[in-house]
């Protein structure tokens, strides 16, 4: 697991350098992406950038606290 976490840290840093704007823009958005939201959870999708969403901290917290609304808005996907 430590190898996966190390790979994630490196990949996340590069991803956020290339995706600096928050894609949610919903709740007290700061516009600057600082977090990676895993739309399908971490599990097997942990390193799959196609399931990542660059978000600011405020939007990320809202997404995590409102799972049903986040699915309806397309910020999260139902986990299989």
């Amino acid at each position: 697991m430590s190898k996966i976490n190390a790979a994630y840290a490196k990949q996340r840093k590069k991803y956020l350098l290339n995706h600096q704007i928050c894609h949610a823009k919903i709740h007290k958005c700061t516009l600057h992406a600082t977090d990676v939201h895993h739309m399908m959870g971490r599990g097997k999708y942990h390193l799959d950038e196609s399931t990542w969403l660059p978000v600011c901290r405020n939007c990320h917290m809202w997404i995590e606290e409102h799972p049903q609304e986040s699915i309806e808005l397309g910020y999260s996907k139902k986990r299989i």
Side-chain angles (χ1 to χ4, degrees):
M1 189 65 176
S2 63
K3 286 183 182 181
I4 291 173
N5 287 335
Y8 171 70
K10 185 177 179 180
Q11 192 173 342
R12 177 188 179 276
K13 183 177 180 178
K14 184 177 177 182
Y15 181 83
L16 288 173
L17 282 173
N18 293 320
H19 300 86
Q20 296 184 10
I21 304 298
C22 177
H23 283 211
K25 300 180 185 133
I26 46 177
H27 181 73
K28 298 181 183 178
C29 184
T30 64
L31 297 178
H32 180 70
T34 56
D35 295 8
V36 172
H37 172 61
H38 294 78
M39 296 188 298
M40 296 184 69
R42 291 182 180 238
K44 67 180 179 178
Y45 300 103
H46 193 64
L47 300 178
D48 183 351
E49 290 184 23
S50 71
T51 67
W52 292 8
L53 185 70
V55 291
C56 72
R57 168 54 49 180
N58 293 335
C59 289
H60 199 189
M61 293 301 297
W62 188 92
I63 289 168
E64 295 295 332
E65 292 170 359
H66 301 87
Q68 188 58 44
E69 293 95 327
S70 296
I71 290 169
E72 292 167 6
L73 293 170
Y75 301 127
S76 292
K77 297 179 182 177
K78 289 188 179 186
R79 295 177 181 152
I80 304 168

